Amino acid sequence: MILPVYVYGMSILRKIAPEIDKDYKGLDQLIDDMFETMVASEGVGLAAPQVGKAARLFIVDATRMEDMDDEPDLKDFKKVFINPYITEEWGDKWSFSEGCLSIPNIREDVSRPSYVKMEYYDRDWNFHEEEYEGVKARIIQHEYDHLDGRLFVDRINPLRKKLIGQKLKAISRGRVDCDYKIIYPNK
Ligand code: NI
């Protein structure tokens, strides 16, 4: 089932998402629904708070980003991250144009370190400790931020943030054109 996406201004996007356990009700269905929602809205990542769930969980699917010649293995990058923690971030900061399903029609350059090391559980509750770099690291860093109540617009320079202030306000009032279903405050 395609779920509505909670957009800028919704308080759940600003909360720290709590860890979940194997008994989390409807987890399998939630993960399926998140994939369906992400594909329908053409995203490459989606965190549980973006569909209104206070759960430390995000998914990624970069298999449609095939046009990135310098990152050929992105086409296999489809994963579920449960209770993830980034334990280390390092390397040169680089700038990449980020967007977010919770902030429709806005893209801004965000600078982040090149590498991440993280711990998480997969869908079958196997524990992993892995390192990622490049665009994979970037997608993870963006989604991970959602679990700590952060959005990419918090990481852009203050002047840019001021410039998009009106657009953000419009989004938080539901005044935005997008092809997928959204939920905004007081709706
Ligand atoms: Ni996002």
Side-chain angles (χ1 to χ4, degrees):
M1 185 174 63
I2 296 172
L3 305 169
V5 174
Y6 286 54
V7 299
Y8 189 89
M10 293 299 279
S11 59
I12 192 161
L13 296 177
R14 291 310 194 176
K15 297 204 170 111
I16 294 184
E19 285 184 25
I20 58 172
D21 58 32
K22 289 178 188 174
D23 300 328
Y24 185 88
K25 199 163 172 273
L27 180 58
D28 254 345
Q29 187 65 49
L30 173 61
I31 292 170
D32 285 345
D33 289 348
M34 284 174 67
F35 272 111
E36 207 179 324
T37 303
M38 183 174 60
V39 169
S41 49
E42 297 181 358
V44 293
L46 186 68
Q50 292 183 274
V51 291
K53 302 290 180 195
R56 203 162 186 85
L57 155 72
F58 68 80
I59 61 169
V60 300
D61 181 358
T63 55
R64 282 163 297 122
M65 289 178 85
E66 291 171 57
D67 51 335
M68 307 204 71
D69 297 336
D70 49 338
E71 304 241 3
D73 55 345
L74 269 180
K75 66 180 185 328
D76 303 319
F77 192 50
K78 181 177 179 180
K79 285 166 113 51
V80 176
F81 294 87
I82 297 173
N83 296 339
Y85 285 97
I86 289 178
T87 54
E88 233 180 302
E89 274 185 303
W90 72 99
D92 292 340
K93 283 195 163 188
W94 64 296
S95 198
F96 186 71
S97 171
E98 295 188 23
C100 180
L101 295 177
S102 294
I103 309 177
N105 306 336
I106 293 181
R107 297 196 74 87
E108 290 289 334
D109 285 342
V110 183
S111 181
R112 303 184 192 257
S114 321
Y115 299 89
V116 294
K117 186 177 192 174
M118 67 181 324
E119 301 174 350
Y120 68 96
Y121 292 86
D122 63 25
R123 198 174 181 163
D124 301 316
W125 289 93
N126 298 307
F127 180 78
H128 299 270
E129 189 174 40
E130 290 168 354
E131 289 177 17
Y132 291 95
E133 63 178 291
V135 173
K136 287 182 183 176
R138 177 57 62 118
I139 295 169
I140 285 169
Q141 288 162 320
H142 176 112
E143 297 311 322
Y144 186 81
D145 265 355
H146 280 296
L147 303 184
D148 284 342
R150 277 190 302 262
L151 299 169
F152 80 89
V153 291
D154 304 340
R155 296 187 179 276
I156 64 177
N157 83 55
L159 179 64
R160 287 298 310 165
K161 185 153 188 188
K162 204 169 171 201
L163 285 169
I164 63 170
Q166 288 304 318
K167 283 190 195 171
L168 291 174
K169 198 181 269 182
I171 291 170
S172 72
R173 291 174 180 170
R175 293 203 303 269
V176 62
D177 278 327
C178 68
D179 299 334
Y180 48 93
K181 207 168 147 199
I182 59 170
I183 290 192
Y184 53 90
N186 302 320
K187 199 197 175 187

